[in-house]
Amino acid sequence: MSHSFKAAVLKAPNPAHPYAEHKPLSLETVSVPAPADGEVLVKIAAASLCRSDLSVINGVRAWPMPIVPGHEASGTVVETGPGVTAVGNGDPVVLVYQPQCGTCPACLEGEAHLCGPGLAANRKGELLSGGTRLSLKGSPVHHHMGLSAFAEYALVSEKSVVPVPRDLPLDIAALFGCAVMCGAGTVLNTGAIKAGDTVVIAGAGGVGLSALLGARAAGASRIIAIDPDPAKLEHAKRLGASDTINSGDRRAAAEVLELTSGGVDIAFETAGKLGAFEIAYDSARRGGTVVSVGLVDPKTPFQLDVAALVTGAKTVKGSYVGSCNPRTDIPRFIAMHQRGLLPVEELITHRMPLADVNVALDRMEDGTAIRQILTP
Ligand SMILES: [Zn+2]
Ligand SMILES: [Zn+2]
């Protein structure tokens, strides 16, 4: 049996501000068929807004249109297609925006975040099982990252969900789908930081503050948060930053070198801005590591002084989905949360109905929100 429900549809990218006025997303009644082989229907409990959603809406990154965005969410499985084994009806789940096919070379190597078929399906705006399922007045609508969670329901591959404990509130569970994997996951997996390491977090938004929590949990001896927004630096301080530097009015990297006598062991770019990457790069000590996780505008390449890279013996890494294997890392991070080591609920600054999603976009754009929970 097919299902009809409300979803926030983006018909074409629109960078016009304020979003609340221009309303790039409109709530429409969309339909999906019953789940096919390996697919599940999830009733969305909470979706949160991530900065990379903005790049879908304003067109900085090209996606097939029309599309229903939303890639950080949780819910309850309400219907399963034939052959589904990972979850059953009534199971609480977090949605995962990088589906893992389980059989490609990356998946077999244990690098589920690099799953080739998963990435290919995402780029086409399709499900891992092939094609689109969403439709609006009979015309196809694309899936964002195999999820399209700004909606009352999401029809997804069973390889796009990970079950979560029943006692974990679903609004908190949603954060594990992107903010926690990209932030804490980047620090713990890609950065593989050791207790006692010194760390720079360049960008104190949702991913940056999540990275900060990961660095704190791992026992970093010094965590220097850098951002142009004093309110975000305050937030970083509350979550355990040992130092904060306002990059708006100071030469941040020079200050880091001074504070740490030559730079930090690991510097993370968590803002999706070229300026933040430059600060992170310049803040790492000789022999140190630079990890970039934000999605910088693809039209702004970084000029690399290769000779300085060599003499500085730096390592530069990109981190996609925090190098996570969602099936093993999400339960690990939830267990850390339940032990009080990753208080990710501290990232939530706003809650509102899904109908107010355009207002939420403005808050994300102007930097007044960290994580906003949208409830359908
Ligand atoms: Zn995200
Ligand atoms: Zn794969």
Side-chain angles (χ1 to χ4, degrees):
M1 200 185 79
S2 69
H3 301 269
S4 294
F5 52 87
K6 289 263 188 268
V9 179
L10 178 70
K11 289 174 183 158
N14 183 1
H17 294 74
Y19 294 117
E21 201 174 293
H22 295 274
K23 296 188 172 51
L25 292 171
S26 56
L27 276 195
E28 311 270 357
T29 301
V30 298
S31 303
V32 295
D37 240 11
E39 295 173 356
V40 298
L41 185 69
V42 176
K43 184 176 195 304
I44 300 294
S48 59
L49 195 62
C50 167
R51 194 155 187 99
S52 62
D53 288 312
L54 282 182
S55 67
V56 181
I57 282 130
N58 61 24
V60 164
R61 295 181 74 81
W63 289 91
M65 296 287 145
I67 195 167
V68 174
H71 66 278
E72 183 174 295
S74 64
T76 306
V77 175
V78 291
E79 197 176 330
T80 56
V84 169
T85 55
V87 287
N89 283 351
D91 283 354
V93 293
V94 57
L95 305 188
V96 173
Y97 68 83
Q98 170 67 50
Q100 44 191 127
C101 75
T103 53
C104 75
C107 283
L108 292 174
E109 286 288 341
E111 296 189 309
H113 59 292
L114 302 179
C115 173
L119 185 65
N122 280 357
R123 288 208 170 131
K124 285 192 277 187
E126 297 183 351
L127 296 188
L128 183 62
S129 31
T132 58
R133 304 289 181 278
L134 282 164
S135 63
L136 173 62
K137 297 185 183 114
S139 300
V141 174
H142 294 91
H143 301 255
H144 183 218
M145 312 295 277
L147 302 177
S148 291
F150 291 162
E152 292 174 314
Y153 291 85
L155 181 69
V156 301
S157 163
E158 67 169 321
K159 297 182 190 315
S160 296
V161 301
V162 171
V164 297
R166 283 180 192 277
D167 59 354
L168 180 69
L170 283 171
D171 54 348
I172 295 174
L175 304 176
F176 285 83
C178 177
V180 178
M181 284 200 290
C182 292
T186 290
V187 170
L188 298 167
N189 292 343
T190 323
I193 80 166
K194 305 186 300 296
D197 275 350
T198 53
V199 173
V200 148
I201 308 281
V207 168
L209 293 177
S210 166
L212 191 157
L213 293 176
R216 200 179 80 177
S221 62
R222 193 158 193 179
I223 305 172
I224 304 171
I226 302 174
D227 200 278
D229 180 348
K232 286 190 173 151
L233 293 177
E234 251 332 289
H235 202 142
K237 198 94 195 167
R238 282 201 302 281
L239 297 192
S242 51
D243 308 80
T244 56
I245 298 176
N246 187 319
S247 52
D249 52 28
R250 276 139 60 189
R251 290 183 52 245
E255 201 160 323
V256 172
L257 300 192
E258 223 167 87
L259 280 172
T260 55
S261 310
V264 293
D265 298 311
I266 309 189
F268 296 91
E269 176 283 310
T270 50
K273 302 244 169 76
L274 187 60
F277 182 78
E278 286 167 345
I279 289 170
Y281 187 82
D282 293 338
S283 296
R285 65 168 169 81
R286 293 190 72 211
T289 301
V290 185
V291 182
S292 183
V293 62
L295 281 176
V296 174
D297 184 334
K299 293 184 285 298
T300 54
F302 179 59
Q303 302 282 335
L304 189 64
D305 176 347
V306 180
L309 174 76
V310 171
T311 55
K314 292 189 186 186
T315 302
V316 180
K317 286 179 165 183
S319 176
Y320 190 60
V321 206
S323 310
C324 287
N325 181 334
R327 253 163 240 299
T328 51
D329 281 321
I330 286 181
R332 181 163 77 103
F333 297 152
I334 289 174
M336 289 174 73
H337 166 76
Q338 289 176 324
R339 290 268 294 130
L341 291 168
L342 279 180
V344 298
E345 66 279 5
E346 301 284 345
L347 305 178
I348 300 172
T349 54
H350 298 78
R351 294 168 189 278
M352 72 214 69
L354 176 62
D356 291 342
V357 63
N358 290 303
V359 178
L361 292 175
D362 284 320
R363 268 196 218 106
M364 180 56 81
E365 176 81 38
D366 65 25
T368 49
I370 301 295
R371 276 300 190 262
Q372 310 177 74
I373 299 289
L374 302 165
T375 312

